[in-house]
Amino acid sequence: NSKVIQTPRYLVKGQGQKAKMRCIPEKGHPVVFWYQQNKNNEFKFLINFQNQEVLQQIDMTEKRFSAECPSNSPCSLEIQSSEAGDSALYLCASSLDWGQNTLYFGAGTRLSVL
Amino acid sequence: GEKVEQHESTLSVREGDSAVINCTYTDTASSYFPWYKQEAGKSLHFVIDIRSNVDRKQSQRLIVLLDKKAKRFSLHITATQPEDSAIYFCAASKGYAQGLTFGLGTRVSVFP
């Protein structure tokens, strides 16, 4: 079983509301990724971190999405102003290092924007 | 950017038979190819991976083949069991800073 912990499992928001989800990566894993999986099973890379530093993020993330991985606290992904198109499963994954190591995924947060 | 195509959207196999899922990728720089399993309502569970320095890898009933010339890789599930029923995703990566590019998944159903 995955040791990546994501909360909450389900999140329901109205359009324009903030939506925040959290992730505790597997112990000792400094690399964290966030992905969005839509209902058509399309995965979209959002952002990744090594320790507390953002390494790469897509444009979408830069505008309405914010994410952080502070030391000694859970990582978080926040959508500042939710839109209907943001309804999806948000997956957090962690890895031991960058060297093509396995990504371990959490159970995800399913966001519904009404 | 990289595109990964998963050729079978559904696969129905009799228990004990083999299931084969085929994926192709576009970027010759991709060098890491993992497979994940997703059961209904659950997250992605890593099952097996292959790196570009080998062309075959086996882990118990799972075999992964990689053909770099054809930019094709495949997952073979041998002696299928009911618990193999799930959606399987293939993915490709040039290196983790680039993340994984996923296929759209293959729903595998194992019937008695």
Side-chain angles (χ1 to χ4, degrees):
Chain A
N1 287 332
S2 174
K3 298 183 178 76
V4 177
I5 308 298
Q6 285 189 254
T7 57
R9 287 295 308 276
Y10 302 93
L11 198 51
V12 181
K13 295 290 177 183
Q15 294 195 48
Q17 289 187 320
K18 284 187 183 180
K20 188 168 186 175
M21 53 205 86
R22 291 175 176 81
C23 169
I24 301 175
E26 187 164 331
K27 192 174 180 180
H29 284 192
V31 175
V32 173
F33 278 78
W34 286 96
Y35 286 90
Q36 180 197 64
Q37 183 185 14
N38 69 19
K39 62 180 181 180
N40 297 319
N41 283 336
E42 294 165 320
F43 287 82
K44 183 178 286 185
F45 163 77
L46 297 176
I47 193 168
N48 57 11
F49 292 84
Q50 180 160 12
N51 296 312
Q52 292 80 52
E53 186 181 342
V54 174
L55 290 182
Q56 197 173 24
Q57 59 185 348
I58 64 166
D59 287 346
M60 178 180 81
T61 317
E62 289 167 3
K63 287 171 186 166
R64 291 187 302 111
F65 288 56
S66 62
E68 59 177 4
C69 271
S71 62
N72 301 318
S73 291
C75 298
S76 64
L77 176 68
E78 185 171 33
I79 306 172
Q80 301 302 321
S81 178
S82 302
E83 298 175 356
D86 297 330
S87 295
L89 181 66
Y90 289 83
L91 292 164
C92 175
S94 72
S95 179
L96 201 50
D97 63 41
W98 289 111
Q100 296 183 342
N101 255 334
T102 306
L103 276 183
Y104 295 95
F105 285 82
T109 292
R110 186 166 295 283
L111 173 65
S112 297
V113 182
L114 306 177
Chain B
E2 172 70 282
K3 286 183 172 39
V4 175
E5 186 176 353
Q6 203 159 339
H7 295 257
E8 298 81 11
S9 57
T10 61
L11 209 49
S12 196
V13 295
R14 188 178 299 277
E15 185 176 352
D17 286 352
S18 290
V20 183
I21 306 169
N22 295 286
C23 290
T24 51
Y25 60 99
T26 56
D27 194 333
T28 52
S30 287
S31 58
Y32 176 65
F33 308 92
W35 290 85
Y36 288 86
K37 175 182 179 182
Q38 188 173 39
E39 295 174 80
K42 295 188 179 178
S43 187
L44 294 173
H45 174 73
F46 170 80
V47 290
I48 192 169
D49 59 14
I50 190 166
R51 291 174 170 79
S52 57
N53 58 339
V54 296
D55 55 20
R56 186 183 190 276
K57 183 173 179 179
Q58 180 164 1
S59 173
Q60 298 181 321
R61 296 187 295 109
L62 302 176
I63 301 169
V64 182
L65 302 177
L66 173 63
D67 181 342
K68 291 189 291 291
K69 278 187 182 175
K71 287 186 282 190
R72 180 174 59 222
F73 57 114
S74 58
L75 174 68
H76 300 243
I77 309 170
T78 62
T80 52
Q81 299 171 2
E83 54 264 37
D84 295 328
S85 296
I87 300 176
Y88 290 81
F89 292 93
C90 62
S93 173
K94 291 186 283 190
Y96 268 107
Q98 307 296 324
L100 294 173
T101 300
F102 287 87
L104 292 180
T106 298
R107 183 179 294 278
V108 173
S109 300
V110 179
F111 60 92

